[in-house]
């Protein structure tokens, strides 16, 4: 244990961290608050869908601030295709998220004076989001040896994908918060050398999938060679350039889901099929690992789609049952089967929501995207693919900060 420091330095850091899509899913925990999983999971880190977060830490006492800058649907990182009318329905939802809905809070009065406010639309994200962010920063502050509640934080966070797209942002969000928060507090952690330790810190946010977003490419969690079962860390199996698989996210419903993934983890053991799932997973994980190592898309697709259906079978047979699928989800699954029947390599996977991630080799991405956009229930298609790990864009401490940066 380190003794609390009496005069911590001010710090400011900005980090970008990617989202990820699980090929073998984390579903069910032996300790939900600390995200200790009941089974190993394996994901592909994404490239276009990411979160950029700036954390300011000031040793002076005061109120913590958490701001969210909602982003419009279009953007150069996230290519969106699909029927215009449908796309604008998503854009309208995003406009509501950007402030037309008074329940989303008021804009920050000084937003324009701050360099990271390029969108000029910081919003108060609401008490639940703010409390989770501050609880995680408390973990980091403890890790830095500071007194609980010492100083104050200001956090500004923006996703490259619209908050209304029905895509989970907790993985990229907590990964970016971990990297930026650790750097602002002066924790001596290096993104590559200490990726395992950073992944462990990210897990303490309660978001298991965030643990995997600390690494690029294909990521396994827990690391079987990682030692401590009560501190599971993530490990990279292959970098992104091992296989630049495409992920085309077919959006069929952009509303908030009724049951969060935390609710799903909690209910998983109530399914009569859950024990059978856990029993069969090592063999499936093995097949996914082999298919990735061999770049064998046919074997990968079979195992990944089987796994996604299995997760939803557990959700649908939990007590009470959880239905994440909508009619649009089933339409996309049928379209993926038609693609395969036509000789186009593609497979589907679905997280805790209705939208479908369609994976394919990079050379098939254009035709898969075009075919998905033709499905009437598809609102739009986000184009993504295998990507690298987080980036620390800026990290300043103490004297490196100008006076105005120090006195926000
Ligand atoms: O990390 P959480 O608590 O949001 O759970 C993630 C659950 C799934 O996305 C469905 C699966 C996964 O492994 O990412």
């Amino acid at each position: 244990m380190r003794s609390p420091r009496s005069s911590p330095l001010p710090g400011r850091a900005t980090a970008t961290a990617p989202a990820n899509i699980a090929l073998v899913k984390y579903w069910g925990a032996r300790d939900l608050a600390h995200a200790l999983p009941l089974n190993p999971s394996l994901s592909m880190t994404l490239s276009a869908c990411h979160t950029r977060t700036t954390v300011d830490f000031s040793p002076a006492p005061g109120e913590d601030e958490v701001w969210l800058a909602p982003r419009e649907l279009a953007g150069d990182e996230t290519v969106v295709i699909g029927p215009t009318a449908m796309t604008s329905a998503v854009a309208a939802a995003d406009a509501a998220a950007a402030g037309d809905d008074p329940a989303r809070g008021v804009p920050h009065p000084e937003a324009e004076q701050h360099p990271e406010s390029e969108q000029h639309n910081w919003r108060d994200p609401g008490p639940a989001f703010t409390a989770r962010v501050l609880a995680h920063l408390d973990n980091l502050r403890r890790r830095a040896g500071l007194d609980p509640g010492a100083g104050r934080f200001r956090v500004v966070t923006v996703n490259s994908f619209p908050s209304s797209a029905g895509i989970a942002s907790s993985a990229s969000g907590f990964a970016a918060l971990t990297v930026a928060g650790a750097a602002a507090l002066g924790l001596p952690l290096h993104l590559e050398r200490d990726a395992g330790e950073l992944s462990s810190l990210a897990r303490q946010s309660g978001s298991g999938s965030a643990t995997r977003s600390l690494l690029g490419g294909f990521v396994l969690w827990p690391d079987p060679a990682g030692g401590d079962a009560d501190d599971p860390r993530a490990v990279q199996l292959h970098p992104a350039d091992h296989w630049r698989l495409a992920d085309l996210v077919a959006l069929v419903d952009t509303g908030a889901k009724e049951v969060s993934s935390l609710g799903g983890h909690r209910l998983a053991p109530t399914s009569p099929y859950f024990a059978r799932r856990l029993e069969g997973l090592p063999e499936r994980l093995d097949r996914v690992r082999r298919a990735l190592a061999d770049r064998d898309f046919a074997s990968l697709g079979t195992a990944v789609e089987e796994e996604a259906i299995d997760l939803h079978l557990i959700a649908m047979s939990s007590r009470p049952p959880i239905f994440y699928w909508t009619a649009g989800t089933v339409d996309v699954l049928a379209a993926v089967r038609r693609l395969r029947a036509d000789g186009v390599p593609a497979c589907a996977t679905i997280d805790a929501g209705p939208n479908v991630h369609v994976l394919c080799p990079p050379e098939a991405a254009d035709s898969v995207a075009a075919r998905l956009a033709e499905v009437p229930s598809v609102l739009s298609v986000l184009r993504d693919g295998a990507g690298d790990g987080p980036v620390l864009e800026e990290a300043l401490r103490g004297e490196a900060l100008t006076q105005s940066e120090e006195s926000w």
Side-chain angles (χ1 to χ4, degrees):
M1 272 303 265
R2 293 157 72 173
S3 58
R5 271 187 259 143
S6 45
S7 54
L9 293 175
R12 171 202 186 88
T14 298
T16 298
N20 67 76
I21 177 67
L23 309 179
V24 176
K25 318 274 187 191
Y26 157 45
W27 202 240
R30 62 190 168 84
D31 177 340
L32 199 51
H34 299 101
L36 297 178
L38 281 168
N39 68 274
S41 56
L42 194 168
S43 55
M44 179 171 90
T45 298
L46 297 177
S47 158
C49 290
H50 59 252
T51 300
R52 183 169 184 265
T53 297
T54 298
V55 175
D56 281 286
F57 173 70
S58 164
E63 284 284 299
D64 295 313
E65 294 177 23
V66 178
W67 300 98
L68 183 67
R71 176 126 170 198
E72 298 303 322
L73 187 60
D76 46 6
E77 310 94 325
T78 305
V79 180
V80 180
I81 57 172
T84 330
M86 296 301 188
T87 304
S88 64
V90 183
D94 209 46
D100 296 351
D101 175 1
R104 303 289 296 217
V106 293
H108 187 289
E110 300 160 37
E112 296 193 15
Q113 293 163 24
H114 294 284
E116 69 274 40
S117 68
E118 66 257 338
Q119 289 82 20
H120 302 307
N121 63 351
W122 295 3
R123 304 281 144 176
D124 175 350
F129 184 100
T130 300
R132 257 192 107 182
V133 166
L134 293 178
H136 189 50
L137 289 172
D138 260 344
N139 294 334
L140 299 177
R141 180 159 42 196
R142 249 197 319 277
R143 177 72 168 66
L146 300 181
D147 291 327
R152 65 192 165 125
F153 289 106
R154 186 183 63 198
V155 179
V156 181
T157 193
V158 56
N159 294 327
S160 68
F161 48 96
S163 37
S164 55
I167 300 184
S169 55
S170 69
S172 54
F174 281 110
L177 185 66
T178 302
V179 175
L185 286 164
L187 283 170
L189 294 170
H190 183 270
L191 269 183
E192 272 146 44
R193 188 192 59 219
D194 303 312
E197 188 161 354
L198 281 162
S199 80
S200 156
L201 279 178
R203 179 186 56 77
Q204 287 157 30
S205 68
S207 168
S209 49
T211 310
R212 299 184 311 240
S213 273
L214 265 296
L215 291 128
F218 298 89
V219 180
L220 178 65
W221 173 60
D223 175 1
D228 192 347
D230 287 333
D231 183 21
R233 293 161 181 223
V235 64
Q236 184 185 67
L237 295 177
H238 307 282
D241 59 11
H242 169 73
W243 202 6
R244 291 268 175 200
L245 285 176
D247 178 10
L248 302 152
V249 192
L251 301 180
V252 295
D253 189 327
T254 57
K257 55 193 176 199
E258 280 167 30
V259 184
S260 66
S261 49
L262 287 181
H265 293 302
R266 195 173 292 121
L267 286 178
T270 67
S271 162
Y273 309 113
F274 188 60
R276 180 213 43 78
R277 166 174 167 75
L278 293 183
E279 217 174 271
L281 265 180
E283 185 270 338
R284 188 179 295 144
L285 177 65
D286 215 45
R287 272 192 285 147
V288 171
R289 287 185 67 164
R290 256 182 294 131
L292 283 175
D294 299 345
R295 298 187 196 87
D296 172 353
F297 190 81
S299 305
L300 182 77
T302 307
V304 162
E305 213 163 291
E306 196 183 281
E307 162 65 1
I309 307 282
D310 197 37
L311 178 139
H312 287 272
L313 172 103
I314 299 300
M316 290 177 198
S317 57
S318 292
R319 293 173 178 159
I322 312 168
F323 275 84
Y324 289 115
W325 292 12
T326 64
T329 311
V330 178
D331 290 344
V332 177
L333 290 175
V336 171
R337 282 197 300 273
R338 279 197 301 277
L339 275 165
R340 279 200 296 266
D342 293 346
V344 182
C347 75
T349 184
I350 311 162
D351 275 345
N355 301 313
V356 186
H357 292 249
V358 182
L359 307 178
C360 65
E363 57 280 7
D366 286 344
S367 43
V368 172
R371 286 279 289 272
L372 291 174
E374 281 165 13
V375 177
S377 43
V378 169
L379 305 176
S380 55
V381 180
L382 298 184
R383 229 179 136 140
D384 212 333
D388 301 321
V391 174
L392 182 59
E393 293 173 28
E394 176 193 49
L396 301 171
R397 300 254 303 145
E399 284 168 13
L401 288 166
T402 64
Q403 236 179 357
S404 70
E405 282 169 332
E406 257 189 65
S407 60
W408 47 273

